[in-house]
Amino acid sequence: MACYKHKFCIFAPSNHQSRKMLIGRTKEKRLLMEAYQAEESHFVAIYGRRRVGKTYLVRELFEGKFTFEHSGMANTKTRGQLQNFQSSLRRWGLAKARQPHNWIEAFDMLCDLIVQSKDRRKVVFIDELPWMDAPKSDFLPAFEHFWNGWASARKDVLLIVCGSATSWIISNIVNNHGGLHNRLTYEIPLRPFTLRECRLYAQSLHLEMNDHQLLECYMVMGGVPYYWSRMQKGLSLAQNIDALFFSRNGALRGEYQSLYSSLFRRPELYQTVIMALGQKRIGMTRGELMKTAGLTGNGTLTRVLEELEQCGFIRRYNSAADKANNAIFQLIDSFTLFYFKFMQNNVKSDEHFWTNSIDSAMHRAWSGLAFERVCLMHVPQMKRALGIEGVTSFEYAWRSKASNNDDETGGAHIDLLIERNDQVTNLCEMKFCHDEFEIDEQYYKVLQNKKLRFIRETGTKNAIHLTLVTVNGIKHNSWAGDIQRVITSKDLF
């Protein structure tokens, strides 16, 4: 079957129709089309990490339906932003648009363009909105006035804004406490692709990879479509990773620095937190993080942690006995972990660093950690494999009070517990192995230690089902009898 691709969204011909059908982004498409088909004006904000496909989703879904489209310019002062806005107004039909002196005038001209439009639904798409808010520009009050004082009173405007500067979008649009408070109709955080979507995308790119290679690629890149789009067919996965991340002119060699600077206006602070969390596998409490990173416990740290969590770089978890307090923060972003483990350690600038690292102790240690993170990003798929997708559950991680380090035999930590309403808790262990995973006596004792400590310290009355998540299942032997359920990598797809 022929497939069609673009950088971020995938198309394939339907079996019943000749037209192209968009694959993935199901919920996001539904919300956007609901807003488009409504009988009143709607305001939608889309945000997400760099390269995740925000712009292309909107452009593809509303192709030929825009009344106005504009994109802010990076690192540009107010005068340049206004000139750019004037050019967009002219391009979209306001031929005599003059150079606006300020944003109030600029949005007044946008009102004129909308009024003269004969479109049934006035779709206004403003991309990279945060870049338009240059210092001392008074952009935000003018934007608030445009929506509150004019557009929201109409019945036919669909305003869509997006941008990679997630912290700005969240602070000034989503959590706005001024004129835009509770004015947003839909908030759409655009997440990376799942494993299944990446498999479909790889097929559309004609990349010949089996499921194991797809999994390892996800462990490196996560589900960021742009990263996958830069791979070349005809090269092995190892060759592609070397070419993209380690070669002198690799397309993604400087991605780590660009990623955080595009999302956050003060990236250094966010990177300080990320680097600190990267030092400890099981994560850190707020107090441990402050001590390790040399930070103060003020409101700024709270905001940084919240925004990193909203962007999907970290996760917050709590102990079973204290689900509201003493949160632990853990780095889970696949690409960032890959950067810390390999790119940052490539001190000799070896252009074949990845290929030369395969089967090394460093690679094996990273594989286990990266596989855990992929599993944590696919909990709904794991619940489906367990047959409990319809059961109310609470997912969290846990560490024993005795766990002051990453030593599993001293205290105990559990990366994923699924506490279910049917009085069962799945204690999930994630293990990366090319072949069937074999439980030996030592690991059997580790599992029993975790189970017994968890029961004793939490006082849970639930039945504890030891659940192993691994690539190709387990090898059955005398130590495997206590494993209640096995989830394989195929289930994650």
Side-chain angles (χ1 to χ4, degrees):
M1 180 181 72
C3 293
Y4 306 88
K5 71 177 179 66
H6 192 277
K7 283 184 180 178
F8 305 120
C9 293
I10 314 162
F11 299 88
S14 166
N15 292 330
H16 306 290
Q17 305 174 58
S18 60
R19 67 181 177 83
K20 292 183 289 183
M21 179 177 64
L22 182 64
I23 296 173
R25 307 303 194 200
T26 304
K27 179 181 178 181
E28 294 83 358
K29 288 185 295 179
R30 176 177 56 80
L31 292 175
L32 286 167
M33 291 315 297
E34 283 179 4
Y36 179 73
Q37 294 164 358
E39 297 298 326
E40 61 276 339
S41 290
H42 279 307
F43 180 16
V44 180
I46 304 174
Y47 60 89
R49 66 183 293 157
R50 166 183 163 94
R51 318 282 208 184
V52 81
K54 303 176 294 296
T55 302
Y56 187 75
L57 172 64
V58 176
R59 285 180 176 168
E60 189 57 43
L61 203 58
F62 294 104
E63 182 180 10
K65 297 181 176 69
F66 290 120
T67 299
F68 178 72
E69 181 184 2
H70 175 74
S71 180
M73 299 171 65
N75 304 315
T76 303
K77 295 181 180 180
T78 301
R79 179 178 176 82
Q81 298 285 359
L82 290 169
Q83 288 175 337
N84 185 36
F85 199 81
Q86 176 196 27
S87 298
S88 295
L89 288 167
R90 288 180 173 178
R91 187 162 53 250
W92 285 93
L94 200 65
K96 297 182 179 180
R98 65 189 184 278
Q99 167 72 43
H101 294 93
N102 52 54
W103 283 113
I104 290 290
E105 286 187 11
F107 282 111
D108 279 346
M109 284 188 268
L110 177 56
C111 294
D112 293 339
L113 175 63
I114 292 172
V115 167
Q116 76 175 29
S117 172
K118 296 180 180 179
D119 298 333
R120 182 194 66 82
R121 190 71 167 158
K122 311 317 193 269
V123 181
V124 176
F125 176 41
I126 303 180
D127 195 10
E128 299 299 356
L129 185 77
W131 288 348
M132 298 164 67
D133 185 26
K136 300 180 181 180
S137 66
D138 289 328
F139 169 80
L140 198 57
F143 179 73
E144 292 175 353
H145 179 71
F146 163 72
W147 177 251
N148 292 337
W150 190 82
S152 63
R154 296 175 62 92
K155 302 293 185 182
D156 58 354
V157 175
L158 171 56
L159 173 62
I160 304 171
V161 302
C162 74
S164 295
T166 303
S167 61
W168 191 97
I169 294 282
I170 293 172
S171 298
N172 295 286
I173 302 296
V174 176
N175 295 330
N176 186 288
H177 297 294
L180 293 177
H181 181 64
N182 286 336
R183 297 288 186 165
L184 200 62
T185 310
Y186 293 120
E187 170 192 351
I188 302 179
L190 199 62
R191 304 301 185 193
F193 279 166
T194 63
L195 270 168
R196 179 179 179 275
E197 290 168 331
C198 283
R199 177 203 273 162
L200 292 170
Y201 192 33
Q203 290 171 353
S204 77
L205 295 169
H206 305 290
L207 299 171
E208 292 295 334
M209 291 192 286
N210 59 33
D211 281 357
H212 187 89
Q213 291 164 335
L214 288 167
L215 173 62
E216 186 158 3
C217 188
Y218 200 98
M219 287 158 59
V220 171
M221 302 183 185
V224 181
Y226 179 79
Y227 298 170
W228 289 70
S229 76
R230 298 309 301 261
M231 290 195 292
Q232 300 177 51
K233 64 180 182 179
L235 298 183
S236 69
L237 175 58
Q239 288 174 318
N240 265 308
I241 292 174
D242 275 333
L244 288 173
F245 298 103
F246 298 105
S247 68
R248 186 167 300 152
N249 298 314
L252 299 174
R253 184 164 181 161
E255 179 64 13
Y256 175 78
Q257 289 74 19
S258 299
L259 174 61
Y260 288 91
S261 61
S262 70
L263 288 169
F264 310 111
R265 288 200 167 178
R266 292 180 57 199
E268 298 81 8
L269 182 56
Y270 295 82
Q271 287 175 298
T272 297
V273 171
I274 287 292
M275 286 187 286
L277 292 177
Q279 298 175 28
K280 198 165 185 180
R281 177 176 186 148
I282 63 176
M284 299 180 182
T285 64
R286 183 186 177 96
E288 291 169 339
L289 181 59
M290 289 163 52
K291 182 178 180 181
T292 302
L295 301 171
T296 57
N298 54 24
T300 299
L301 179 58
T302 299
R303 176 175 55 80
V304 167
L305 290 169
E306 287 176 351
E307 291 175 2
L308 285 170
E309 184 179 8
Q310 288 168 321
C311 290
F313 290 107
I314 67 174
R315 72 164 180 153
R316 175 198 311 250
Y317 69 86
N318 307 86
S319 70
D322 192 5
K323 297 173 185 174
N325 300 302
N326 300 321
I328 298 170
F329 301 91
Q330 185 182 50
L331 175 62
I332 61 168
D333 180 60
S334 295
F335 169 71
T336 302
L337 286 165
F338 169 75
Y339 173 82
F340 286 153
K341 290 292 183 180
F342 294 98
M343 298 179 71
Q344 189 173 250
N345 291 326
N346 186 22
V347 293
K348 296 182 179 179
S349 298
D350 181 0
E351 294 195 3
H352 304 285
F353 189 72
W354 179 257
T355 302
N356 294 332
S357 298
I358 292 176
D359 292 331
S360 68
M362 179 171 60
H363 188 276
R364 288 192 294 273
W366 164 82
S367 296
L369 177 61
F371 180 67
E372 286 179 8
R373 301 314 191 244
V374 173
C375 293
L376 293 174
M377 288 182 255
H378 289 79
V379 172
Q381 289 81 357
M382 293 170 58
K383 290 180 64 178
R384 189 176 300 117
L386 293 169
I388 60 169
E389 56 187 328
V391 178
T392 302
S393 64
F394 174 67
E395 296 85 39
Y396 57 95
W398 173 85
R399 68 176 182 177
S400 166
K401 296 174 183 177
S403 296
N404 294 318
N405 52 49
D406 291 343
D407 181 8
E408 291 182 333
T409 59
H413 75 271
I414 302 168
D415 286 300
L416 179 63
L417 291 142
I418 304 176
E419 185 178 299
R420 298 152 43 177
N421 267 14
D422 56 1
Q423 298 184 332
V424 171
T425 296
N426 290 91
L427 190 162
C428 300
E429 282 281 292
M430 285 78 84
K431 292 296 177 182
F432 184 83
C433 182
H434 291 279
D435 302 313
E436 289 182 324
F437 181 75
E438 184 173 3
I439 299 175
D440 57 17
E441 182 179 6
Q442 181 181 0
Y443 186 57
Y444 172 81
K445 291 179 179 178
V446 169
L447 289 175
Q448 294 304 315
N449 176 58
K450 290 187 178 188
K451 179 180 176 179
L452 293 174
R453 280 183 178 271
F454 175 72
I455 293 172
R456 183 169 64 248
E457 292 187 25
T458 64
T460 181
K461 303 300 181 182
N462 281 7
I464 306 301
H465 284 195
L466 291 176
T467 305
L468 192 69
V469 189
T470 187
V471 179
N472 292 307
I474 65 171
K475 186 174 183 178
H476 293 283
N477 60 23
S478 59
W479 303 111
D482 282 356
I483 301 298
Q484 300 293 312
R485 295 296 299 270
V486 177
I487 299 172
T488 68
S489 61
K490 288 189 179 297
D491 296 316
L492 302 181
F493 283 90

